[in-house]
Amino acid sequence: MKTNFIFVCGGVMSGIGKGVTVASTARILKDYGFRVTAVKIDPYLNVDAGTMNPTEHGEVFVTDDGMECDQDIGNYERFLGENILRDNYMTSGLVYKSVIDQERNLKYGGKCVQVIPDITNEVERRLWNVARKTDADFVLVEIGGTVGEYENLIFLETARIMKLRSYGQVIFMLVSYFPIPKMIGEMKTKPTQHAVRAMNSAGIQPDFIIARSSRPLDSIRKQKVSIFCNVAVQDVISAPDIDGSVYEIPVNFEKDNLGRRILEKTGLKSRTRKSKQWDKLIGNIRASKEPVKIGIVGKYFGSGDFTLADSYISVIEAIKHAAWSIKRKPEITWLESEQYEKNPQSVRELKNFHGIIVPGGFGKRGVEGKINAIKYVRENNIPFLGLCYGLQLSVVEFARNICKMAGAHTAEVDQKTPEPVICTMPDQLVNIKEKRMGGSMRLGAYKCKLAKHSLARKLYGKDIISERHRHRYEVNNQYRGGLEKKGLLIAGVNPQRGLVEVIELPKNKFFVATQFHPELTSRPLNPHPLFRGLLKAAAGK
Ligand code: GLN
């Protein structure tokens, strides 16, 4: 069978849910019995997403094979319920770098190396590589940014050339925004008409328009979009804002027959009776009414006057998956760690929550606030899950307050600490010294052996697990004995390198922290055992 490529571009403005649109379309096609995968292309020059500040670009998602990529890969994994590998992510930086590296190795045999066709060929090569490796019937390709921008033109150009060559079937989808300005009170289609013109000038005609708006498109608007944008009226798909969760989006798209229309265009027939699993999930979500309150103590929330949740999206989704699985409605609150630094008494507000999470993080800002928060939840037996930096700072808190090592710290924040309970591995010292910071952390999936009587062992139901990492610092094994003597349980260790992966405080109701990131592998149809553990403890189950 030929591979079908579906290219998805954004119109009018960013942030309207292109990633979730791709993920939802992928889910629909998977439920029709096809093998589906999704690729994200980011037009910026960073070689990967690892060097970007999360408040600017959202969470850095990590794949099993250690690629630091855009958070949309997380959406694809959550909707598809499958792991996605590094081949499925590329940036302009990565593509240019590989072409330039090849040029330096004389791979172009003396030719002049040019943007077209050498860059477009490299993008196309990467897309076919994904098709081959995943053996997918459908490869969805999300082109970052908005049509009309300079930065993503080269990727539209690649898509146009792929359609022209037509080794596979190529479909274009435009996810566009339809504003309803307050003073007019009517949904406007003109910005989308302009977006389609911009696509047309790149030689591309969309096959589908996904109409993002606060309300569904009425038939008058659908007709108008159809005529002006040159798209069949049944291929204008309503995508209104939803009250519920993003997981309802595939269901909404199907109300407008998106899946069936894609199959018609590709000449395919559904391979199975549509699975009911997803509908069951939606039913579960809707039935979850009794609230469970979870606080996230972090620092990547603010952007000017606005609060962004994107920096912790996998953590948030993992909380939701686990809450729904026990029929509870998750109520998530952002708690600014700096506030617990400026006003240490204010940590008392944590008693208003059923559970607290200290997620991953970097650097000095807000660290003492997080440590204050951890002290408070430990002393007050509030269910707690620490993730990566959350584990490291739990160890610092325990060392300072239980082991009476007042000066204990992580070497990341205080290089001269007398008690570096968290320190770097020797290989990382070289990276730091030589400023080799991009893609050089301990990244991707590593094994962990869980201790026999640990809570983690009980929750996972097995001895050996594999989880994804993204960190440069580790628990300093020189302090292990001292910490253990005072009641800290080393609940999981990497068998190859002896690195601490999980800690627990068995005296507490639920106090678990991990060096890895369990949030990255939680799926709506398969919630993560540690998040389920936290949520169950929080819900008093
Ligand atoms: N900053 C810490 C480290 O580099 C923790 C990283 C994280 O939380 N992802 O080890």
Side-chain angles (χ1 to χ4, degrees):
M1 185 185 149
K2 277 188 176 180
T3 308
N4 299 283
F5 289 94
I6 304 181
F7 286 94
V8 183
C9 319
V12 179
M13 63 187 198
S14 65
I16 53 175
K18 230 182 325 150
V20 171
T21 299
V22 170
S24 300
T25 310
R27 179 75 220 179
I28 292 171
L29 294 167
K30 177 173 173 159
D31 282 344
Y32 281 119
F34 294 96
R35 281 184 306 273
V36 188
T37 193
V39 172
K40 175 76 195 274
I41 298 180
D42 271 326
Y44 44 70
L45 288 176
N46 302 61
V47 172
D48 57 40
T51 51
M52 274 182 288
N53 184 334
T55 37
E56 253 173 58
H57 194 73
E59 168 191 272
V60 178
F61 193 81
V62 184
T63 58
D64 252 5
D65 58 354
M67 176 65 133
E68 296 176 284
C69 47
D70 182 77
Q71 51 169 314
D72 279 328
I73 299 285
N75 284 322
Y76 309 160
E77 286 201 351
R78 285 187 282 271
F79 278 75
L80 278 171
E82 290 170 23
N83 290 344
I84 283 184
L85 295 179
R86 61 167 59 234
D87 308 296
N88 287 43
Y89 183 62
M90 68 181 103
T91 65
S92 293
L94 181 67
V95 172
Y96 273 81
K97 188 172 179 298
S98 63
V99 168
I100 292 169
D101 286 347
Q102 290 174 65
E103 184 274 331
R104 294 287 83 183
N105 296 334
L106 298 180
K107 290 272 164 59
Y108 291 94
K111 258 183 50 220
C112 170
V113 182
Q114 294 185 295
V115 173
I116 299 172
D118 297 304
I119 296 292
T120 49
N121 281 348
E122 174 64 18
V123 176
E124 187 175 344
R125 186 192 67 74
R126 284 169 179 267
L127 293 177
W128 279 108
N129 175 48
V130 170
R132 238 187 338 269
K133 276 203 180 163
T134 57
D135 197 22
D137 303 306
F138 286 95
V139 179
L140 286 98
V141 185
E142 177 181 352
I143 299 181
T146 313
V147 287
E149 281 167 11
Y150 177 76
E151 264 201 317
N152 58 17
L153 253 183
I154 194 71
F155 301 107
L156 295 177
E157 191 66 2
T158 309
R160 179 187 68 75
I161 295 169
M162 283 177 73
K163 171 131 193 167
L164 174 78
R165 291 178 176 163
S166 141
Y167 303 135
Q169 188 99 9
V170 175
I171 287 178
F172 290 105
M173 212 178 234
L174 175 69
V175 184
S176 196
Y177 187 65
F178 292 72
I180 308 178
K182 252 209 189 105
M183 68 287 189
I184 305 177
E186 186 198 331
M187 184 186 285
K188 303 307 283 180
T189 66
K190 189 75 81 204
T192 296
Q193 294 178 37
H194 284 298
V196 172
R197 296 280 175 277
M199 267 179 107
N200 289 162
S201 68
I204 293 170
Q205 168 62 41
D207 299 286
F208 289 96
I209 291 181
I210 310 292
R212 286 284 299 113
S213 187
S214 54
R215 302 223 310 258
L217 253 66
D218 57 16
S219 66
I220 295 177
R221 241 65 38 175
K222 278 194 175 179
Q223 293 287 351
K224 195 166 173 184
V225 173
S226 167
I227 295 285
F228 283 96
C229 300
N230 202 17
V231 171
V233 72
Q234 63 270 42
D235 297 332
V236 182
I237 309 290
S238 250
D241 290 348
I242 31 170
D243 292 333
S245 84
V246 291
Y247 303 108
E248 304 227 5
I249 292 174
V251 181
N252 271 1
F253 282 175
E254 280 297 73
K255 286 184 191 150
D256 273 359
N257 300 311
L258 177 63
R260 219 194 60 218
R261 288 294 295 160
I262 293 175
L263 296 192
E264 276 170 18
K265 281 186 199 296
T266 47
L268 294 165
K269 288 215 160 53
S270 175
R271 287 194 183 149
T272 51
R273 286 229 345 248
K274 217 176 164 208
S275 145
K276 291 264 174 290
Q277 246 187 336
W278 204 261
D279 294 334
K280 218 177 119 200
L281 166 73
I282 305 301
N284 238 354
I285 297 174
R286 290 188 190 151
S288 302
K289 297 244 168 11
E290 196 183 330
V292 54
K293 293 185 191 161
I294 304 292
I296 301 180
V297 182
K299 68 169 180 181
Y300 302 121
F301 298 128
S303 167
D305 288 343
F306 300 93
T307 306
L308 304 171
D310 268 11
S311 323
Y312 299 111
I313 179 159
S314 291
V315 178
I316 293 164
E317 293 306 308
I319 296 170
K320 292 180 186 168
H321 305 157
W324 295 327
S325 77
I326 56 165
K327 292 250 161 64
R328 292 296 171 103
K329 184 182 166 140
E331 275 181 21
I332 300 168
T333 308
W334 325 128
L335 303 163
E336 208 25 275
S337 56
E338 273 183 298
Q339 136 208 336
Y340 301 144
E341 217 162 278
K342 289 182 201 132
N343 176 9
Q345 294 303 317
S346 63
V347 284
R348 289 194 192 140
E349 69 174 347
L350 297 180
K351 69 174 180 301
N352 300 325
F353 296 92
H354 300 120
I356 293 294
I357 291 179
V358 172
F362 292 85
K364 189 167 183 232
R365 184 167 69 84
V367 154
E368 291 303 324
K370 287 181 187 171
I371 294 172
N372 284 343
I374 294 168
K375 177 166 187 278
Y376 187 85
V377 300
R378 178 179 56 74
E379 289 175 344
N380 292 279
N381 206 1
I382 299 170
F384 168 78
L385 181 60
L387 309 170
C388 204
Y389 218 13
L391 173 141
Q392 297 174 356
L393 298 178
S394 299
V395 171
V396 171
E397 191 278 320
F398 192 86
R400 284 186 191 174
N401 298 316
I402 301 290
C403 304
K404 302 293 169 214
M405 297 189 272
H409 218 324
T410 161
E412 178 176 354
V413 176
D414 178 5
Q415 284 175 0
K416 299 208 178 73
T417 167
E419 317 279 5
V421 288
I422 306 295
C423 64
T424 35
M425 310 286 298
D427 50 340
Q428 287 296 347
L429 283 174
V430 182
N431 288 334
I432 295 170
K433 196 165 151 241
E434 295 179 3
K435 287 223 155 139
R436 281 198 303 231
M437 303 303 260
S440 65
M441 280 187 252
R442 185 170 176 242
L443 292 169
Y446 288 97
K447 290 219 162 79
C448 164
K449 187 170 183 328
L450 297 173
K452 227 191 200 130
H453 301 296
S454 63
L455 185 53
R457 166 71 188 73
K458 197 171 138 207
L459 292 169
Y460 278 95
K462 54 184 172 189
D463 297 321
I464 304 281
I465 55 164
S466 168
E467 292 279 8
R468 298 182 194 170
H469 297 70
R470 182 174 185 250
H471 58 111
R472 221 178 277 285
Y473 293 80
E474 310 279 349
V475 173
N476 186 340
N477 274 334
Q478 285 180 4
Y479 289 94
R480 246 176 90 166
L483 295 164
E484 283 173 306
K485 216 176 281 162
K486 292 285 186 185
L488 186 103
L489 175 68
I490 306 294
V493 173
N494 171 263
Q496 280 80 31
R497 298 179 72 180
L499 304 172
V500 172
E501 300 280 18
V502 188
I503 62 158
E504 292 177 11
L505 294 181
K507 274 200 199 141
N508 280 43
K509 191 156 51 176
F510 189 100
F511 191 108
V512 179
T514 61
Q515 187 56 75
F516 49 77
H517 290 275
E519 71 274 19
L520 300 178
T521 46
S522 177
R523 313 269 163 81
L525 296 178
N526 194 9
H528 194 283
L530 295 183
F531 279 86
R532 258 177 73 88
L534 173 76
L535 267 290
K536 275 186 166 175
K541 290 200 179 187

